Amino acid sequence: MTWARLVQRLGGIVKRLDNSLQPSTTNEKVNKNGIVDVCPDVFQGTLVGYPFFGTGWAITNCTNVKPIRSVISVLVNTVAYPKEDENHIQTVLKGITETYPTVQVHLATGSNEVMEDAKKYKNIDVVKVDDAKLGKGWNTLISKVSTPYVLVARDVFHFTWLTQLERQIRVVSQIPNVGVAGGAYRNFSGHWKAGCVQTTLKNYVLQYQEGYYHSKNECMFCDYLQGPFVTKTNLLKLDESLPNEVIFEDWFLRVGDGNLIMSCPDAMYFTTDYSSYSKRTDKKVWTPLAKKWELNRVLLPQGVKHSFSCQDIGVKCKAHSDLLPVCCLEEYADALSFFQKFSDKHNVTFELDTGSVLGGVKFNGLIPWDIDGDFIFLTTDLNIFTKRETIEHFQKKRLQD
């Protein structure tokens, strides 16, 4: 558990003990000149905005607010878009400029046609990226940003006032320890999703589960966001060495260690996920991420499971005081099975001893941090292990592994 998540959970306990500590508005944070990033918002009640409930939290009017162009920039990256979907960019750019005409948009594309379309708008800066690596495209755009916050408009195919950038800026700038805020999204099939995912990373296993456990100001605390999001510019740096499909999985794992992540369903995006199918089914997509984070298992929603051997992720099984990766325990179990089959074949009687016995009794298996096996056998059977053919048999097994 990260320190930010620990602080958030302790705060939740305090609020349950004293409901008067639950604020109805976010606390206004001002600079030394009395200027705020966005105007304060106020909760108007659970029945306001029927039937879409898009105005439950409303931005109030204020005069001490910064121009939004100095607060946030928008990043759009199309380098991995299928060519047939590039026509959506025209709609996206038009929607952004109509909704936020003064906000600077940074666009990365490999298409000459998209570059020509973007020239119609004064507030759009276009970067030609020939490399189809998404990480490189995003990092190129990030280097051009001068505002404290940025909207990562990934996979957006339509942009409207429903995005409510001010709402997300408010969450990031005012709620303690929050570094990222996103919203709900709708895909091509017309289904809305909250986009809030919980992740568990322990014992070399990474598990994703949709949903949330805690919320504040009508926004959910998450570990990973499936849709576009607003974040602090200084937090955004992607690993260009990873496949396009998992660069944000890696980024959220890193940024979540010290920052809270939230999703506000009343901020709504229209997106398509070009990598969703391969992300679910293609083990090769996850292998570089598994190697980077030393993951033996990646468990995805809908029961999808990817398993990785020690060789896949470059892990050497060495004895230490920490828990060993699952793959090391599997290699240990395989070696024990190999030894037992050999002993049965040659009528060698042996017993488990010391640590191996302790693992069987206490853990119903192997001690999670034990890397060797402890056997005892009769001295009359010792000669068989010194024979040349026995040594070659064991060496052959080692080479196969």
Side-chain angles (χ1 to χ4, degrees), residues 32 47 50 122 148 166 171 182 211 214 281 302 347 370 375 379:
K32 61 182 180 180
L47 301 180
Y50 178 86
K122 295 181 180 180
E166 294 87 352
V171 169
H214 306 282
T281 60
Q302 291 84 46
N347 296 317
D370 196 4
F375 311 134
T379 56

Side-chain angles (χ1 to χ4, degrees), residues 68 72-78 81 88-108 118 121-125 138 151-163 165-166 228 269-270:
I68 194 167
I72 192 168
S73 303
V74 177
L75 305 185
V76 181
N77 188 354
T78 72
Y81 278 27
H88 294 303
I89 299 305
Q90 175 71 16
T91 304
V92 172
L93 298 180
K94 181 180 179 181
I96 296 174
T97 54
E98 289 180 350
T99 309
Y100 297 99
T102 63
V103 170
Q104 181 67 53
V105 180
H106 298 283
L107 169 66
Y121 306 97
K122 295 181 180 180
N123 62 327
I124 297 179
D125 173 45
W138 287 116
L151 168 65
V152 180
R154 54 174 177 163
D155 299 333
V156 171
F157 70 84
H158 188 54
F159 194 98
T160 71
W161 64 271
L162 292 171
T163 56
L165 289 184
E166 294 87 352
Y269 294 92
F270 299 85

Side-chain angles (χ1 to χ4, degrees), residues 199-208 242 246 249-250 253 283 285-300 305-316 324-328 330:
T199 61
T200 303
L201 177 57
K202 63 180 181 180
N203 297 348
Y204 306 91
V205 176
L206 174 62
Q207 182 174 12
Y208 290 90
L242 295 174
V246 295
E249 278 72 8
D250 170 70
L253 286 173
K283 177 182 175 181
V285 165
W286 290 91
T287 301
L289 185 72
K291 189 171 184 178
K292 178 177 180 177
W293 289 86
E294 294 188 348
L295 303 174
N296 283 155
R297 302 283 188 273
V298 175
L299 308 179
L300 305 175
K305 173 182 176 181
H306 296 305
S307 300
F308 304 93
S309 67
C310 289
Q311 185 176 3
D312 288 336
I313 60 177
V315 168
K316 301 294 184 181
L324 288 171
V326 178
C327 60
C328 290
E330 290 173 341

